[in-house]
Amino acid sequence: MPQAGDLVGGPGEPTVTSPVVIVGASLAASRCAAALRRGGLDGAITIINAEAHLPYDRPPLSKQFLSGEWDADRLSLLKPEQLTEFELDWRMQTAATALDVDTRTVSLDDGTTVQGDHVVIATGAAPRRLPGTEALAGVHVLRTLGDSAGLRRELAERPHASVVVVGAGFIGAEVAATAATAGHRVTIIEAAAVPMERGLGAQMGAFCGSLHADHGVDLRLSTGVTGVRSDADGRIAAVELSDGTELAADVLVVGIGVVPTTAWLDGSGLTLDDGVVCNAHCEAAPGIYAAGDVARWPNERFGELMRVEHWDNAVEQGIHVAKRILGEATEPFTPVPWFWSDQYEHKIQLAGRPKAGDLVEIVTGSMEERRFAAIYGDGERLTGVFGLNRPRHVMQYRRKLAEGATWTEAIRFAEEARSGN
Amino acid sequence: MAFKVVVNFDLCESNAICMDVAPELFEVRDDDFLYVLQETPADDLREKAEAAADRCPKQAISLEDLASPQ
Ligand SMILES: Cc1cc2nc3c(=O)[nH]c(=O)nc-3n(C[C@H](O)[C@H](O)[C@H](O)COP(=O)(O)OP(=O)(O)OC[C@H]3O[C@@H](n4cnc5c(N)ncnc54)[C@H](O)[C@@H]3O)c2cc1C
Ligand code: SF4
């Protein structure tokens, strides 16, 4: 007779009966749960969901949902038939408040506990706020469906509004693009001299910044917000800038980064340092894993402790953790990070981990035609690829990055591709 | 069970992630359009097709079960 936890089931269809608890109910959680079921997990899967919605996709919250082009029903991450098929036990609008690492027991804010053989931490990240603006009407951050719906409503109610976006990172840039496309007057305030320099390097960061000017968006670099002014109703009226000027604002959007959601794990004994620190297999402790924006793990491909705030990483890491639980993943988790950002009519993509000072070379197209791919190298190896409206090329070089290609090999590949065209 | 790969081309944005996961099934060509190379692939490609569907950032890929031939 099979015992609980044994592999049972017919040939080719092993089943594992251990119960799994997933904390957080977004992208990493959904993809992890799906991979567990597809991989044959037969035990209960309990998903702790602080939100009132079943898992939904966040990227459209700054794009098609914000613009009004899409409605919320287009955002679901699990199709109705998957929701039925996967038999997931949802704890809706319930937050985890603590984790007992030794017994793998999660305490919930409704006073109950859930215990599992495996616990997956997938609590993601939450946006930083601008101090002094928390209580003002008209000030927005963007992370949840509710955040996006609120901003969407305000923008729709105020045609040609003066929209001030703080932070020229991806979220800020996308909100600016969406608002400008809808006819609002948009200004982006960015403290750094070059937008997104850390992720893209100086040259491509500056290039992305220049896309805003094409669309009449005013990007103010090396400028900080020193204060805000509100009207008599407690609504944002203006922002004060470090250059001494004041800028009228009907709507203020704060996009100054996110913080991993780990406060509920304080005192658990897990290592918390800009995320849940894991080993190379995404394990934080025996039977405890982390995936998605909240996870920090040593990516052996790059020899660095990484936390990645991108869609594809949450998917891949959620799947990796599922395979680990199923006993299938024996290799460490070593992805080549990849993300996309849609701004105006442009599709921006970056793969790899370029460093400041890396060489940059355009391998196809040109900046002027607003369609090109550029590769990065550190003198020895290929370290990244940036694409503007060149999705296919980014994926080609991402594969080269995965193969550990040298710079010389990447350049030779580019030359061959050019002469083959 | 045999299956069919269906792409919603209204959603697809040709970012070629699926091609990276399952080059046997998907190809984004120079014209930047996605081509499904095998609409009804052999069953051993199912796992790869599911992985591609899970990884598609636009959720443009779905798999439909086909009734097995009688
Ligand atoms: C507006 C926006 C646009 C984006 N656009 C892109 C893009 O174009 N390209 C790209 O690559 N990436 C993009 N991203 C990033 C991508 O969406 C994230 O990387 C992804 O959502 C991470 O998924 P996750 O499951 O790790 O965490 P999250 O999506 O942050 O989900 C975590 C979930 O856990 C819940 N939770 C937190 N604490 C608890 C608790 N104690 N108990 C129970 N539940 C809890 C939260 O409520 C949340 O639902 C975007 C993100 C945003 C916000
Ligand atoms: S991954 Fe999705 S969006 Fe990207 S090319 Fe494939 S089907 Fe299209």
Side-chain angles (χ1 to χ4, degrees):
Chain A
M1 276 300 285
Q3 307 286 309
D6 275 1
L7 293 178
V8 292
E13 278 191 21
T15 49
V16 180
T17 52
S18 333
V20 176
V21 180
I22 304 178
V23 186
S26 182
L27 185 57
S30 312
R31 294 301 186 254
C32 181
L36 284 169
R37 281 293 184 241
R38 289 197 185 122
L41 185 105
D42 213 17
I45 301 179
T46 309
I47 304 189
I48 316 301
N49 183 1
E51 296 193 54
H53 307 275
L54 286 169
Y56 58 87
D57 204 20
R58 297 186 200 277
L61 299 181
S62 49
K63 311 175 185 81
Q64 299 93 331
F65 180 78
L66 183 61
S67 71
E69 188 187 335
W70 287 12
D71 282 317
D73 55 10
R74 298 232 352 217
L75 305 181
S76 36
L77 281 171
L78 290 167
K79 301 185 170 107
E81 62 274 18
Q82 294 179 320
L83 284 169
T84 320
E85 182 195 331
F86 295 153
E87 293 185 43
L88 306 169
D89 175 9
W90 299 94
R91 300 293 168 87
M92 300 293 287
Q93 284 180 276
T94 305
T97 51
L99 171 66
D100 185 294
V101 168
D102 294 333
T103 62
R104 293 173 309 278
T105 304
V106 181
S107 305
L108 308 180
D109 65 358
D110 61 4
T112 63
T113 59
V114 200
Q115 196 271 337
D117 286 357
H118 305 271
V119 174
V120 181
I121 299 168
T123 46
R128 280 202 190 93
R129 287 167 197 268
L130 199 61
T133 63
E134 288 90 343
L136 291 184
V139 179
H140 301 263
V141 292
L142 193 51
R143 185 77 190 178
T144 65
L145 182 55
D147 293 339
S148 182
L151 178 58
R152 167 174 156 164
R153 200 177 321 112
E154 284 216 332
L155 291 175
E157 283 165 6
R158 294 175 172 72
H160 312 294
S162 293
V163 178
V164 176
V165 178
V166 185
F170 288 105
I171 302 283
E174 290 184 0
V175 171
T178 302
T181 304
H184 300 287
R185 282 166 291 152
V186 183
T187 309
I188 309 176
I189 307 299
E190 169 59 51
V194 175
M196 297 174 286
E197 184 170 4
R198 204 167 55 97
L200 301 182
Q203 199 181 343
M204 292 305 144
F207 172 77
C208 284
S210 74
L211 295 173
H212 297 296
D214 290 358
H215 296 83
V217 169
D218 183 6
L219 169 63
R220 309 236 185 128
L221 297 169
S222 307
T223 307
V225 174
T226 51
V228 291
R229 198 161 54 70
S230 53
D231 66 14
D233 302 326
R235 191 184 164 86
I236 183 81
V239 292
E240 291 152 11
L241 303 179
S242 56
D243 60 9
T245 60
E246 200 184 77
L247 191 64
D250 300 319
V251 175
L252 181 68
V253 183
V254 180
I256 53 174
V258 295
V259 183
T261 308
T262 58
W264 68 281
L265 293 166
D266 284 345
S268 65
L270 296 181
T271 308
L272 307 177
D273 177 16
D274 183 35
V276 176
V277 179
C278 300
N279 66 16
H281 297 282
C282 313
E283 291 158 348
I288 298 183
Y289 315 78
D293 284 14
V294 77
R296 191 146 175 250
W297 87 105
N299 185 335
E300 291 181 356
R301 180 188 301 281
F302 296 87
E304 89 180 76
L305 203 55
M306 259 189 201
R307 191 171 66 76
V308 178
E309 294 168 0
H310 305 146
W311 195 95
D312 190 58
N313 184 69
V315 172
E316 278 203 62
Q317 209 164 14
I319 295 172
H320 183 88
V321 163
K323 292 202 167 141
R324 194 81 194 152
I325 291 172
L326 294 165
E328 288 171 12
T330 47
E331 298 294 311
F333 183 59
T334 59
V336 176
W338 171 83
F339 70 83
W340 83 97
S341 173
D342 298 342
Q343 299 170 24
Y344 310 104
E345 69 277 28
H346 302 301
K347 292 184 190 312
I348 296 168
Q349 295 178 303
L350 182 96
R353 203 78 171 170
K355 295 226 173 353
D358 279 359
L359 301 167
V360 184
E361 185 157 320
I362 291 182
V363 286
T364 181
S366 71
M367 287 184 176
E368 294 68 39
E369 63 184 301
R370 298 285 187 252
R371 191 160 182 263
F372 69 93
I375 58 174
Y376 301 79
D378 60 8
E380 191 192 334
R381 305 230 145 248
L382 178 70
T383 57
V385 54
F386 173 93
L388 184 80
N389 302 316
R390 285 287 190 181
R392 197 172 49 88
H393 293 80
V394 172
M395 286 306 135
Q396 280 177 348
Y397 287 96
R398 188 191 187 204
R399 228 166 289 140
K400 294 274 162 226
L401 283 160
E403 292 161 14
T406 63
W407 177 252
T408 320
E409 283 164 352
I411 291 290
R412 196 181 318 127
F413 175 76
E415 280 162 3
E416 280 165 12
R418 270 199 297 267
S419 57
N421 274 344
Chain B
M1 202 194 288
F3 70 103
K4 185 175 178 204
V5 177
V6 182
V7 171
N8 181 339
F9 287 97
D10 291 337
L11 294 179
C12 170
E13 62 164 23
S14 299
N15 54 35
I17 264 286
C18 52
M19 170 173 157
D20 206 39
V21 178
E24 303 90 338
L25 299 178
F26 304 99
E27 183 180 351
V28 176
R29 297 203 182 133
D30 242 348
D31 58 9
D32 274 343
F33 284 109
L34 171 68
Y35 294 82
V36 179
L37 303 178
Q38 304 182 47
E39 284 202 341
T40 50
D43 239 14
D44 55 1
L45 282 170
R46 190 183 192 106
E47 211 175 303
K48 274 199 158 180
E50 280 174 347
D54 273 353
R55 296 272 297 281
C56 168
K58 300 289 150 169
Q59 301 183 68
I61 303 171
S62 48
L63 308 184
E64 284 175 9
D65 283 327
L66 294 177
S68 26
Q70 297 300 305

